Amino acid sequence: METGSLDGTGAPADQPVWRRPEPGLLRVRRLLLTVWAGVFAVAAGLLPGLFAGPAWAACALLPPVCAAACWRMLERNWRSWRYAERADDLLISRGVLWREETVVPYGRMQLVEVTSGPVERRFGLATVQLHTAAAATDATIPGLDPAEAERLRDRLTELGEARSAGL
């Protein structure tokens, strides 16, 4: 077997090396789903039960049933997120039914942000958001380890400055 075309990571040199968000992202999304389903179940059962009669309290079953259906879809969505750093651009791929792949040239990056809300911080996660010259570009990578998010921010900023110097 010839290994001359490999780059040391086991992938062919012309193929991008894809990385995925941390599993904590799936846990966070499932936690939020459970919390919101509970809030809506209480609201859907309590309000109709008080004002329209006890039979309408059965509406409280609707949010947990919807949450159970969404539980598996959250995992499929989490598995669909991935990103790859290439020589001239960053690839971001996501989506289950409608696959979307965003290619962000390093020279077009204007700002790279790392954000982490209170729930993300609790689970040790961060989000990298890229701002480019095109306002419509949605370049976000959620669910990264904070150290990886900072490494990616620094690398993308450095590459963006180097590539935009000629513009």
Side-chain angles (χ1 to χ4, degrees):
M1 180 171 131
E2 182 180 343
T3 59
S5 64
L6 299 179
D7 62 0
T9 61
D14 60 343
Q15 295 294 320
V17 178
W18 291 99
R19 297 179 183 205
R20 296 194 179 278
E22 295 292 320
L25 179 63
L26 178 60
R27 287 192 298 273
V28 166
R29 289 183 174 176
R30 283 182 170 170
L31 173 68
L32 292 174
L33 174 69
T34 304
V35 167
W36 282 109
V39 168
F40 286 130
V42 168
L46 186 62
L47 295 176
L50 289 175
F51 296 114
W56 284 95
C59 293
L61 297 175
L62 188 59
V65 169
C66 291
C70 292
W71 190 268
R72 177 82 173 130
M73 285 188 268
L74 283 175
E75 182 174 353
R76 291 185 65 200
N77 180 268
W78 170 73
R79 288 188 186 281
S80 75
W81 278 91
R82 60 188 188 157
Y83 69 98
E85 300 170 62
R86 296 194 305 183
D88 296 322
D89 50 31
L90 177 73
L91 300 175
I92 302 172
S93 179
R94 65 192 171 279
V96 177
L97 294 177
W98 286 271
R99 290 291 294 162
E100 185 174 333
E101 190 165 301
T102 305
V103 179
V104 183
Y106 295 135
R108 297 290 181 188
M109 291 183 201
Q110 294 180 332
L111 176 66
V112 182
E113 286 183 306
V114 175
T115 60
S116 186
V119 176
E120 284 181 311
R121 280 194 308 274
R122 172 73 177 97
F123 283 84
L125 300 173
T127 298
V128 173
Q129 185 169 10
L130 306 166
H131 299 278
T132 64
T137 302
D138 178 19
T140 302
I141 307 171
L144 297 178
D145 180 76
E148 169 64 10
E150 290 176 14
R151 182 205 65 82
L152 188 60
R153 177 199 59 207
D154 294 343
R155 176 166 158 65
L156 295 176
T157 302
E158 178 183 312
L159 289 168
E161 289 172 358
R163 298 292 197 279
S164 67
L167 295 179

